[in-house]
PDB file of all heavy atoms in Angstrom:
ATOM      1  N   HIS L 266     -16.822 -81.750-214.106  1.00 97.00           N
ATOM      2  CA  HIS L 266     -16.526 -81.208-215.441  1.00 97.00           C
ATOM      3  C   HIS L 266     -17.471 -80.047-215.780  1.00 97.00           C
ATOM      4  O   HIS L 266     -17.026 -78.951-216.130  1.00 97.00           O
ATOM      5  CB  HIS L 266     -16.657 -82.340-216.471  1.00 97.00           C
ATOM      6  CG  HIS L 266     -16.354 -81.937-217.875  1.00 97.00           C
ATOM      7  ND1 HIS L 266     -15.138 -82.169-218.466  1.00 97.00           N
ATOM      8  CD2 HIS L 266     -17.099 -81.308-218.813  1.00 97.00           C
ATOM      9  CE1 HIS L 266     -15.147 -81.687-219.705  1.00 97.00           C
ATOM     10  NE2 HIS L 266     -16.334 -81.166-219.946  1.00 97.00           N
ATOM     11  N   GLU L 267     -18.754 -80.292-215.651  1.00 98.00           N
ATOM     12  CA  GLU L 267     -19.718 -79.251-216.036  1.00 98.00           C
ATOM     13  C   GLU L 267     -19.640 -78.060-215.074  1.00 98.00           C
ATOM     14  O   GLU L 267     -19.818 -76.913-215.490  1.00 98.00           O
ATOM     15  CB  GLU L 267     -21.140 -79.821-216.085  1.00 98.00           C
ATOM     16  CG  GLU L 267     -21.346 -80.972-217.085  1.00 98.00           C
ATOM     17  CD  GLU L 267     -20.872 -80.669-218.506  1.00 98.00           C
ATOM     18  OE1 GLU L 267     -20.786 -79.483-218.895  1.00 98.00           O
ATOM     19  OE2 GLU L 267     -20.560 -81.634-219.239  1.00 98.00           O
ATOM     20  N   HIS L 270     -16.949 -75.794-216.345  1.00 98.00           N
ATOM     21  CA  HIS L 270     -17.456 -74.903-217.400  1.00 98.00           C
ATOM     22  C   HIS L 270     -18.261 -73.752-216.788  1.00 98.00           C
ATOM     23  O   HIS L 270     -18.117 -72.594-217.158  1.00 98.00           O
ATOM     24  CB  HIS L 270     -18.387 -75.669-218.352  1.00 98.00           C
ATOM     25  CG  HIS L 270     -17.683 -76.526-219.364  1.00 98.00           C
ATOM     26  ND1 HIS L 270     -16.794 -76.012-220.281  1.00 98.00           N
ATOM     27  CD2 HIS L 270     -17.767 -77.857-219.637  1.00 98.00           C
ATOM     28  CE1 HIS L 270     -16.357 -77.006-221.072  1.00 98.00           C
ATOM     29  NE2 HIS L 270     -16.929 -78.133-220.696  1.00 98.00           N
ATOM     30  N   GLU L 296     -12.882 -75.750-222.310  1.00 98.00           N
ATOM     31  CA  GLU L 296     -12.586 -77.140-221.940  1.00 98.00           C
ATOM     32  C   GLU L 296     -11.400 -77.216-220.979  1.00 98.00           C
ATOM     33  O   GLU L 296     -11.301 -78.145-220.178  1.00 98.00           O
ATOM     34  CB  GLU L 296     -12.339 -77.962-223.215  1.00 98.00           C
ATOM     35  CG  GLU L 296     -12.412 -79.464-223.034  1.00 98.00           C
ATOM     36  CD  GLU L 296     -13.813 -80.005-222.742  1.00 98.00           C
ATOM     37  OE1 GLU L 296     -14.786 -79.219-222.726  1.00 98.00           O
ATOM     38  OE2 GLU L 296     -13.936 -81.220-222.503  1.00 98.00           O
ATOM     39  N   SER L 299     -13.035 -77.020-217.520  1.00 98.00           N
ATOM     40  CA  SER L 299     -13.760 -78.226-217.099  1.00 98.00           C
ATOM     41  C   SER L 299     -12.784 -79.365-216.828  1.00 98.00           C
ATOM     42  O   SER L 299     -12.913 -80.093-215.840  1.00 98.00           O
ATOM     43  CB  SER L 299     -14.772 -78.628-218.165  1.00 98.00           C
ATOM     44  OG  SER L 299     -14.153 -78.821-219.420  1.00 98.00           O
ATOM     45  N   TYR L 421     -11.231 -80.191-227.925  1.00 98.00           N
ATOM     46  CA  TYR L 421     -11.179 -81.043-226.727  1.00 98.00           C
ATOM     47  C   TYR L 421      -9.727 -81.258-226.287  1.00 98.00           C
ATOM     48  O   TYR L 421      -9.402 -81.180-225.095  1.00 98.00           O
ATOM     49  CB  TYR L 421     -11.824 -82.402-226.991  1.00 98.00           C
ATOM     50  CG  TYR L 421     -13.316 -82.377-227.191  1.00 98.00           C
ATOM     51  CD1 TYR L 421     -13.884 -82.725-228.414  1.00 98.00           C
ATOM     52  CD2 TYR L 421     -14.168 -82.043-226.145  1.00 98.00           C
ATOM     53  CE1 TYR L 421     -15.262 -82.732-228.604  1.00 98.00           C
ATOM     54  CE2 TYR L 421     -15.541 -82.047-226.324  1.00 98.00           C
ATOM     55  CZ  TYR L 421     -16.089 -82.397-227.554  1.00 98.00           C
ATOM     56  OH  TYR L 421     -17.441 -82.401-227.728  1.00 98.00           O
TER      57      TYR L 421
HETATM   58 ZN1  LIG G   1     -16.646 -79.975-221.693  1.00 58.13          ZN
END
Side-chain angles (χ1 to χ4, degrees):
H266 181 98
E267 300 308 336
H270 282 301
E296 197 69 3
S299 56
Y421 291 115

